[in-house]
Amino acid sequence: MQKTGTVIVGAGLAGLYAAYLLEKRGIKDIVLLEARETLGGRIASTSPDRPAFPEAEMAGVDLGPSWFWPGFQHQMAELVHVLGLQAFAQFEQGDMLIERSPAMAAQRVQGFVNTPPSMRLKGGMQALTQTLSQSLETTRVLLSHPVDALHLEASHVDVYSQDAQGERLILQAEQVLLAIPPRLAAKLSFSPALPAVLSSQWKNTPTWMAPHAKYVALFDTPFWRDQGLSGEARSLSGPLGEIHDASMPDGKAALFGFFNTPAATRERMGNDALIQACRDQLVRLFGSQAADPDHDIIKDWAYEPYTTTQDDRQVSAGQHPTAPANKVDNGDWSGYLIGIGSEWGQQFPGYLAGAVEAAEAGVSALFEKMS
């Protein structure tokens, strides 16, 4: 058993940013517990140090969230600026394609440009979490440490986790920040139990994009642009329902798509069949040059245990969730526990910007308690 000031559960954007903010305010006694073997949570990008993707120019194609909108997501934009990251606009020049049936030629229509523009990060969104993690000076970051229980004692919280070797760790914390989706937070064992209304709110808050999957295909050149196409497509027949240009500046050309095939169907088909179906669809849309990508990959979030619950797999994440209450106002847990995952963001729940605003709100609430 070890004593600490603040425990943060989850080392995605919200957890890393909260640790960064706490350190900036002079709080040094922080432990960040991450269930995965890597940092980032739902932020994941192809990387030159991955065996399947050896080329350095492939780094940064996003397998998780890709965009933010500085025109109205001001806190997110400010963080990107402060960290010195380079943003660039999503490529949208040219026509888009509409596919209604595999038996019919895709319809070519005038494309549209988002206003304000959808922005991406050079190096992928992982540049955000990597830079935050590299900025931390005193925070202890423990990977492969899933948390399963929180017990409230007289003046502290015992946080229980276990490493990959089965070694049990108990941290005595003055306060806990939950930087995980509310549904995963609701699955933790709380003693005493959380108020029933709050627990129900958390359990019934969908995790944004949890049941979805992405397909990414990398090519030497963005050949679709030579055809006057933006790389954007919509399909009613699939397997990909929405496709975009995912090329990086000064890097590999890429297309990515969101599956409109349900999670259970994807699981039955298996990756090999899904990849071939995706390649066939890209050929229908963009021609024979799409038949043989240099590399392609599927990232299925529906079966990520530290992202998605069984409840998430039952529905399509078509709407951003409504943010639930992020703390207990009165009772046993009041002042000890705050939710800061993206779904707790008041303006942009589920977005990257939601993680930023929820982390800022959580840290502010901690300092209100301390003062």
Side-chain angles (χ1 to χ4, degrees), residues 126-212:
Q126 68 181 3
L128 187 59
T129 49
Q130 286 178 346
T131 304
L132 281 171
S133 67
Q134 291 163 3
S135 301
L136 299 179
E137 297 178 354
T138 60
T139 299
R140 287 177 58 205
V141 180
L142 301 180
L143 302 176
S144 300
H145 270 78
V147 171
D148 52 36
L150 293 94
H151 294 176
L152 179 62
E153 302 299 336
S155 60
H156 66 269
V157 180
D158 287 342
V159 181
Y160 291 78
S161 71
Q162 185 169 288
D163 66 17
Q165 287 72 45
E167 187 75 21
R168 198 70 165 155
L169 173 66
I170 306 173
L171 294 171
Q172 287 187 355
E174 296 172 14
Q175 57 267 322
V176 177
L177 298 179
L178 296 173
I180 57 178
R183 271 188 171 160
L184 290 183
K187 292 180 66 178
L188 301 176
S189 174
F190 290 91
S191 176
L194 292 177
V197 171
L198 183 69
S199 182
S200 178
Q201 282 185 7
W202 291 5
K203 186 177 186 300
N204 291 311
T205 300
T207 302
W208 177 240
M209 296 302 288
H212 287 271

Side-chain angles (χ1 to χ4, degrees), residues 37-364:
E37 297 177 354
T38 57
L39 301 172
R42 282 174 274 178
I43 292 177
S45 309
T46 58
S47 172
D49 60 3
R50 294 187 180 196
F53 297 98
E55 290 87 352
E57 67 266 27
M58 289 173 53
V61 178
D62 289 306
L63 305 176
S66 300
W67 302 303
F68 73 106
W69 292 267
F72 54 87
Q73 294 178 340
H74 305 303
Q75 292 163 288
M76 176 72 178
E78 177 64 17
L79 176 59
V80 169
H81 172 72
V82 167
L83 295 179
L85 302 176
Q86 296 182 29
F88 64 97
Q90 169 68 32
F91 183 82
E92 295 178 313
Q93 287 72 52
D95 291 341
M96 66 179 293
L97 299 171
I98 307 294
E99 183 184 47
R100 292 181 169 82
S101 165
M104 299 171 55
Q107 180 184 3
R108 183 168 176 152
V109 301
Q110 183 177 357
F112 60 88
V113 177
N114 282 287
T115 304
S118 304
M119 302 297 289
R120 296 166 58 200
L121 290 183
K122 189 171 183 179
M125 282 299 165
Q126 68 181 3
L128 187 59
T129 49
Q130 286 178 346
T131 304
L132 281 171
S133 67
Q134 291 163 3
S135 301
L136 299 179
E137 297 178 354
T138 60
T139 299
R140 287 177 58 205
V141 180
L142 301 180
L143 302 176
S144 300
H145 270 78
V147 171
D148 52 36
L150 293 94
H151 294 176
L152 179 62
E153 302 299 336
S155 60
H156 66 269
V157 180
D158 287 342
V159 181
Y160 291 78
S161 71
Q162 185 169 288
D163 66 17
Q165 287 72 45
E167 187 75 21
R168 198 70 165 155
L169 173 66
I170 306 173
L171 294 171
Q172 287 187 355
E174 296 172 14
Q175 57 267 322
V176 177
L177 298 179
L178 296 173
I180 57 178
R183 271 188 171 160
L184 290 183
K187 292 180 66 178
L188 301 176
S189 174
F190 290 91
S191 176
L194 292 177
V197 171
L198 183 69
S199 182
S200 178
Q201 282 185 7
W202 291 5
K203 186 177 186 300
N204 291 311
T205 300
T207 302
W208 177 240
M209 296 302 288
H212 287 271
K214 255 187 175 183
Y215 168 78
V216 177
L218 297 115
F219 303 92
D220 282 333
T221 62
F223 54 84
W224 51 93
R225 297 183 186 180
D226 296 335
Q227 305 170 37
L229 296 172
S230 65
E232 188 166 352
R234 300 291 185 274
S235 175
L236 300 177
S237 55
L240 303 174
E242 180 180 331
I243 298 170
H244 298 272
D245 187 313
S247 306
M248 297 296 294
D250 306 320
K252 280 276 189 179
L255 292 167
F256 89 83
F258 296 108
F259 281 88
N260 62 6
T261 308
T265 303
R266 299 196 301 266
E267 186 180 36
R268 286 195 299 270
M269 289 181 65
N271 263 26
D272 290 345
L274 282 172
I275 285 175
Q276 188 58 57
C278 291
R279 291 178 179 179
D280 292 344
Q281 183 180 12
L282 293 188
V283 169
R284 294 197 305 268
L285 292 169
F286 300 106
S288 59
Q289 286 177 282
D292 188 23
D294 293 339
H295 297 283
D296 51 1
I297 186 173
I298 290 172
K299 178 63 175 180
D300 198 328
W301 293 96
Y303 296 97
E304 288 273 341
Y306 301 122
T307 295
T308 307
T309 68
Q310 182 63 33
D311 288 338
D312 288 310
R313 286 193 287 272
Q314 303 307 311
V315 295
S316 173
Q319 297 292 329
H320 280 269
T322 300
N326 67 345
K327 62 182 185 297
V328 178
D329 289 325
N330 298 289
D332 293 326
W333 285 96
S334 178
Y336 290 99
L337 189 68
I338 302 175
I340 64 167
S342 177
E343 282 73 19
W344 276 294
Q346 292 298 307
Q347 284 187 284
F348 306 108
Y351 289 100
L352 294 167
V356 171
E357 63 172 330
E360 290 186 359
V363 169
S364 295

